[in-house]
Amino acid sequence: DVKVTQSSRYLVKRTGEKVFLECVQDMDHENMFWYRQDPGLGLRLIYFSYDVKMKEKGDIPEGYSVSREKKERFSLILESASTNQTSMYLCASHRVMGGETQYFGPGTRLLVL
Amino acid sequence: GENVEQHPSTLSVQEGDSAVIKCTYSDSASNYFPWYKQELGKRPQLIIDIRSNVGEKKDQRIAVTLNKTAKHFSLHITETQPEDSAVYFCAASRNQGGKLIFGQGTELSVKP
Protein backbone atom coordinates (compact mmCIF):
# COMPACT_ATOMS: atom_id res chain seq x y z
CA ASP A 1 0.00 0.00 0.00
CA VAL A 2 1.44 3.33 -1.09
CA LYS A 3 2.00 5.81 1.66
CA VAL A 4 2.58 9.51 1.05
CA THR A 5 3.03 11.64 4.14
CA GLN A 6 3.38 15.36 4.67
CA SER A 7 5.20 16.98 7.57
CA SER A 8 2.31 19.05 8.89
CA ARG A 9 -1.49 19.01 8.58
CA TYR A 10 -1.87 22.64 9.68
CA LEU A 11 0.63 25.47 9.67
CA VAL A 12 0.37 29.15 10.63
CA LYS A 13 3.13 31.50 9.50
CA ARG A 14 3.72 35.22 9.31
CA THR A 15 4.23 37.26 6.15
CA GLY A 16 7.88 37.22 5.11
CA GLU A 17 8.76 33.98 6.89
CA LYS A 18 10.52 31.16 5.05
CA VAL A 19 8.31 28.10 5.04
CA PHE A 20 9.27 24.47 4.40
CA LEU A 21 6.71 21.82 3.50
CA GLU A 22 7.99 18.26 3.34
CA CYS A 23 6.63 15.22 1.57
CA VAL A 24 7.83 11.65 1.87
CA GLN A 25 6.77 8.57 -0.09
CA ASP A 26 7.73 5.00 0.69
CA MET A 27 7.19 3.25 -2.66
CA ASP A 28 10.31 4.23 -4.59
CA HIS A 29 8.28 6.36 -7.02
CA GLU A 30 10.29 8.39 -9.51
CA ASN A 31 7.89 11.30 -9.92
CA MET A 32 6.76 13.65 -7.18
CA PHE A 33 4.50 16.69 -7.39
CA TRP A 34 3.40 19.71 -5.39
CA TYR A 35 -0.08 21.17 -5.94
CA ARG A 36 -2.05 23.90 -4.33
CA GLN A 37 -5.79 23.50 -3.96
CA ASP A 38 -8.12 26.49 -3.83
CA PRO A 39 -11.94 26.44 -4.02
CA GLY A 40 -13.19 26.69 -7.58
CA LEU A 41 -9.69 26.37 -9.05
CA GLY A 42 -9.08 22.66 -8.65
CA LEU A 43 -5.55 21.40 -8.15
CA ARG A 44 -2.86 23.55 -9.73
CA LEU A 45 0.64 22.21 -10.24
CA ILE A 46 3.41 24.23 -8.62
CA TYR A 47 6.48 22.09 -9.31
CA PHE A 48 7.27 18.50 -10.09
CA SER A 49 10.35 16.29 -10.01
CA TYR A 50 11.03 13.21 -12.09
CA ASP A 51 14.29 12.24 -10.42
CA VAL A 52 16.63 13.17 -7.62
CA LYS A 53 17.90 16.75 -8.03
CA MET A 54 15.66 17.22 -11.08
CA LYS A 55 12.76 19.65 -11.06
CA GLU A 56 10.41 21.33 -13.49
CA LYS A 57 8.11 24.28 -13.10
CA GLY A 58 4.41 23.65 -13.13
CA ASP A 59 1.68 26.15 -13.88
CA ILE A 60 2.13 28.45 -10.85
CA PRO A 61 5.80 28.32 -9.69
CA GLU A 62 6.14 32.00 -8.76
CA GLY A 63 7.03 32.50 -5.10
CA TYR A 64 7.97 28.83 -4.61
CA SER A 65 11.04 26.66 -4.94
CA VAL A 66 11.61 22.94 -4.41
CA SER A 67 14.29 20.53 -3.36
CA ARG A 68 14.72 16.83 -4.00
CA GLU A 69 17.94 15.55 -2.49
CA LYS A 70 16.65 12.00 -1.94
CA LYS A 71 14.27 9.98 -4.03
CA GLU A 72 11.69 9.59 -1.28
CA ARG A 73 11.57 13.22 -0.17
CA PHE A 74 10.32 16.32 -2.00
CA SER A 75 10.28 19.68 -0.26
CA LEU A 76 8.34 22.80 -1.16
CA ILE A 77 9.85 26.10 -0.03
CA LEU A 78 8.12 29.44 0.26
CA GLU A 79 11.05 31.84 0.29
CA SER A 80 9.06 34.74 1.76
CA ALA A 81 5.51 33.78 2.61
CA SER A 82 2.72 36.11 1.52
CA THR A 83 -0.97 36.15 2.42
CA ASN A 84 -1.95 35.03 -1.10
CA GLN A 85 -0.10 31.77 -0.45
CA THR A 86 -2.66 30.81 2.16
CA SER A 87 -3.98 27.56 0.73
CA MET A 88 -4.12 23.77 0.94
CA TYR A 89 -0.91 22.16 -0.34
CA LEU A 90 -0.99 18.61 -1.63
CA CYS A 91 1.94 16.41 -2.47
CA ALA A 92 1.67 13.40 -4.80
CA SER A 93 3.90 10.63 -6.11
CA HIS A 94 3.77 8.47 -9.23
CA ARG A 95 5.55 5.42 -10.55
CA VAL A 96 6.73 5.79 -14.15
CA MET A 97 6.52 2.12 -15.16
CA GLY A 98 3.10 0.53 -15.00
CA GLY A 99 0.98 3.53 -15.82
CA GLU A 100 -0.26 3.95 -12.28
CA THR A 101 -2.04 7.02 -11.14
CA GLN A 102 -0.77 9.61 -8.69
CA TYR A 103 -1.05 8.98 -4.96
CA PHE A 104 -1.70 11.97 -2.74
CA GLY A 105 -0.57 12.94 0.71
CA PRO A 106 -3.08 14.18 3.31
CA GLY A 107 -2.38 17.85 2.59
CA THR A 108 -1.04 20.80 4.58
CA ARG A 109 -3.38 23.68 5.26
CA LEU A 110 -1.19 26.78 5.42
CA LEU A 111 -2.38 30.09 6.83
CA VAL A 112 -0.14 33.12 6.26
CA LEU A 113 -0.97 36.05 8.51
CA GLY B 1 -1.78 25.99 -22.74
CA GLU B 2 -3.26 22.65 -21.76
CA ASN B 3 -6.61 22.96 -20.08
CA VAL B 4 -9.38 20.80 -18.61
CA GLU B 5 -12.84 22.27 -18.12
CA GLN B 6 -15.20 20.54 -15.70
CA HIS B 7 -18.96 21.03 -15.28
CA PRO B 8 -21.02 21.50 -13.25
CA SER B 9 -19.22 23.05 -10.30
CA THR B 10 -21.95 21.89 -7.93
CA LEU B 11 -24.48 19.10 -8.29
CA SER B 12 -27.27 18.12 -5.93
CA VAL B 13 -29.24 14.89 -6.42
CA GLN B 14 -31.66 12.76 -4.44
CA GLU B 15 -30.46 9.44 -3.12
CA GLY B 16 -30.99 6.78 -5.76
CA ASP B 17 -30.76 9.19 -8.70
CA SER B 18 -27.92 9.24 -11.20
CA ALA B 19 -25.21 11.90 -11.37
CA VAL B 20 -23.17 12.92 -14.40
CA ILE B 21 -20.05 15.11 -14.41
CA LYS B 22 -18.49 16.22 -17.68
CA CYS B 23 -14.98 17.29 -18.62
CA THR B 24 -13.44 18.66 -21.80
CA TYR B 25 -9.72 18.67 -22.49
CA SER B 26 -7.67 20.71 -24.92
CA ASP B 27 -4.54 18.60 -25.50
CA SER B 28 -5.30 16.08 -28.25
CA ALA B 29 -2.24 14.06 -27.19
CA SER B 30 -3.85 13.23 -23.83
CA ASN B 31 -4.08 9.49 -23.35
CA TYR B 32 -5.00 8.92 -19.71
CA PHE B 33 -8.04 10.25 -17.84
CA PRO B 34 -8.42 9.57 -14.10
CA TRP B 35 -11.21 10.63 -11.78
CA TYR B 36 -10.53 11.44 -8.14
CA LYS B 37 -12.91 11.67 -5.21
CA GLN B 38 -12.06 13.93 -2.30
CA GLU B 39 -14.16 13.62 0.82
CA LEU B 40 -14.23 16.51 3.25
CA GLY B 41 -10.88 16.86 5.01
CA LYS B 42 -9.32 13.94 3.17
CA ARG B 43 -6.88 13.42 0.33
CA PRO B 44 -8.00 12.90 -3.28
CA GLN B 45 -8.28 9.22 -4.14
CA LEU B 46 -8.57 7.57 -7.52
CA ILE B 47 -12.00 6.03 -8.15
CA ILE B 48 -11.76 5.12 -11.82
CA ASP B 49 -9.57 5.84 -14.82
CA ILE B 50 -9.69 5.29 -18.56
CA ARG B 51 -7.06 5.13 -21.25
CA SER B 52 -7.46 6.52 -24.74
CA ASN B 53 -7.75 3.12 -26.41
CA VAL B 54 -11.02 2.44 -24.57
CA GLY B 55 -14.37 4.19 -24.96
CA GLU B 56 -16.05 3.15 -21.73
CA LYS B 57 -15.15 1.57 -18.41
CA LYS B 58 -17.40 0.45 -15.57
CA ASP B 59 -16.82 -0.43 -11.94
CA GLN B 60 -20.01 -1.29 -10.09
CA ARG B 61 -22.02 1.94 -9.79
CA ILE B 62 -19.51 4.19 -11.51
CA ALA B 63 -18.61 4.42 -15.18
CA VAL B 64 -16.53 6.68 -17.34
CA THR B 65 -17.02 7.36 -21.04
CA LEU B 66 -14.50 8.92 -23.40
CA ASN B 67 -15.12 10.63 -26.74
CA LYS B 68 -11.71 11.31 -28.26
CA THR B 69 -13.08 13.07 -31.31
CA ALA B 70 -14.93 15.62 -29.22
CA LYS B 71 -12.21 15.59 -26.53
CA HIS B 72 -14.55 15.06 -23.67
CA PHE B 73 -15.08 12.44 -21.00
CA SER B 74 -17.74 11.94 -18.36
CA LEU B 75 -18.24 10.30 -14.98
CA HIS B 76 -21.54 8.54 -14.37
CA ILE B 77 -22.65 7.48 -10.90
CA THR B 78 -25.84 5.42 -10.68
CA GLU B 79 -28.01 4.73 -7.62
CA THR B 80 -26.29 7.49 -5.68
CA GLN B 81 -25.88 7.16 -1.92
CA PRO B 82 -25.14 9.81 0.74
CA GLU B 83 -21.57 8.51 1.02
CA ASP B 84 -21.04 9.54 -2.62
CA SER B 85 -21.15 13.16 -1.41
CA ALA B 86 -17.70 14.62 -2.09
CA VAL B 87 -15.73 16.78 -4.50
CA TYR B 88 -14.88 14.99 -7.73
CA PHE B 89 -11.96 15.97 -9.96
CA CYS B 90 -11.30 14.90 -13.51
CA ALA B 91 -7.82 15.05 -14.99
CA ALA B 92 -6.01 14.43 -18.25
CA SER B 93 -2.45 13.38 -18.99
CA ARG B 94 -0.39 12.73 -22.09
CA ASN B 95 2.02 10.34 -20.40
CA GLN B 96 0.01 7.87 -18.33
CA GLY B 97 -0.34 10.04 -15.28
CA GLY B 98 3.12 11.56 -15.13
CA LYS B 99 1.78 15.10 -15.28
CA LEU B 100 -1.91 15.64 -14.72
CA ILE B 101 -4.01 18.64 -15.70
CA PHE B 102 -6.99 18.83 -13.35
CA GLY B 103 -10.47 20.17 -13.83
CA GLN B 104 -11.88 22.68 -11.36
CA GLY B 105 -13.84 20.10 -9.37
CA THR B 106 -17.52 19.27 -8.85
CA GLU B 107 -19.08 19.28 -5.41
CA LEU B 108 -21.66 16.48 -5.39
CA SER B 109 -24.29 16.45 -2.69
CA VAL B 110 -26.56 13.40 -2.35
CA LYS B 111 -29.62 14.14 -0.25
CA PRO B 112 -31.20 11.24 1.68
Side-chain angles (χ1 to χ4, degrees):
Chain A
D1 201 21
V2 177
K3 186 173 281 186
V4 182
T5 58
Q6 294 183 227
S7 49
S8 305
R9 291 301 305 271
Y10 301 95
L11 213 49
V12 180
K13 295 291 180 181
R14 298 219 171 263
T15 302
E17 280 193 77
K18 192 168 186 175
V19 182
F20 293 87
L21 304 182
E22 293 224 311
C23 175
V24 177
Q25 49 95 4
D26 67 355
M27 285 302 291
D28 203 37
H29 285 178
E30 296 86 356
N31 294 339
M32 295 187 75
F33 306 83
W34 274 106
Y35 296 92
R36 77 177 267 177
Q37 181 177 13
D38 300 289
L41 298 177
L43 280 70
R44 293 180 293 165
L45 182 64
I46 304 171
Y47 266 98
F48 66 102
S49 168
Y50 49 89
D51 202 351
V52 175
K53 296 192 188 295
M54 306 301 286
K55 61 186 179 185
E56 281 199 28
K57 292 180 180 179
D59 300 317
I60 51 165
E62 296 79 19
Y64 304 94
S65 62
V66 291
S67 171
R68 192 160 180 208
E69 297 296 317
K70 293 185 177 182
K71 191 174 186 180
E72 67 270 18
R73 190 179 299 268
F74 191 34
S75 300
L76 179 69
I77 303 153
L78 287 65
E79 296 289 343
S80 177
S82 64
T83 54
N84 62 12
Q85 292 178 309
T86 291
S87 187
M88 169 69 86
Y89 290 88
L90 288 162
C91 171
S93 74
H94 169 256
R95 184 191 303 279
V96 172
M97 296 302 294
E100 293 181 16
T101 191
Q102 293 184 16
Y103 294 89
F104 284 86
T108 296
R109 187 165 291 283
L110 172 67
L111 173 62
V112 182
L113 299 173
Chain B
E2 298 149 4
N3 188 47
V4 175
E5 293 288 332
Q6 182 173 347
H7 298 280
S9 56
T10 60
L11 180 59
S12 181
V13 300
Q14 288 295 130
E15 183 176 0
D17 286 352
S18 294
V20 181
I21 302 170
K22 299 182 179 182
C23 290
T24 304
Y25 59 98
S26 61
D27 183 1
S28 56
S30 297
N31 57 18
Y32 175 69
F33 307 90
W35 285 88
Y36 287 84
K37 176 184 181 182
Q38 186 178 29
E39 295 176 11
L40 191 63
K42 297 194 175 179
R43 71 190 76 193
Q45 294 204 299
L46 179 75
I47 54 170
I48 195 167
D49 57 11
I50 191 167
R51 288 171 171 78
S52 58
N53 57 349
V54 175
E56 183 175 358
K57 184 176 179 181
K58 272 182 122 171
D59 183 3
Q60 299 183 333
R61 295 187 298 108
I62 59 173
V64 58
T65 58
L66 171 65
N67 182 329
K68 283 188 294 182
T69 304
K71 292 193 283 187
H72 66 70
F73 57 114
S74 301
L75 177 72
H76 303 254
I77 306 173
T78 58
E79 299 171 25
T80 54
Q81 300 166 5
E83 51 266 38
D84 293 329
S85 296
V87 178
Y88 291 80
F89 293 99
C90 64
S93 169
R94 56 161 57 194
N95 55 354
Q96 297 283 6
K99 182 183 171 187
L100 293 172
I101 307 297
F102 282 89
Q104 296 85 348
T106 296
E107 184 173 0
L108 174 64
S109 174
V110 180
K111 299 188 185 311

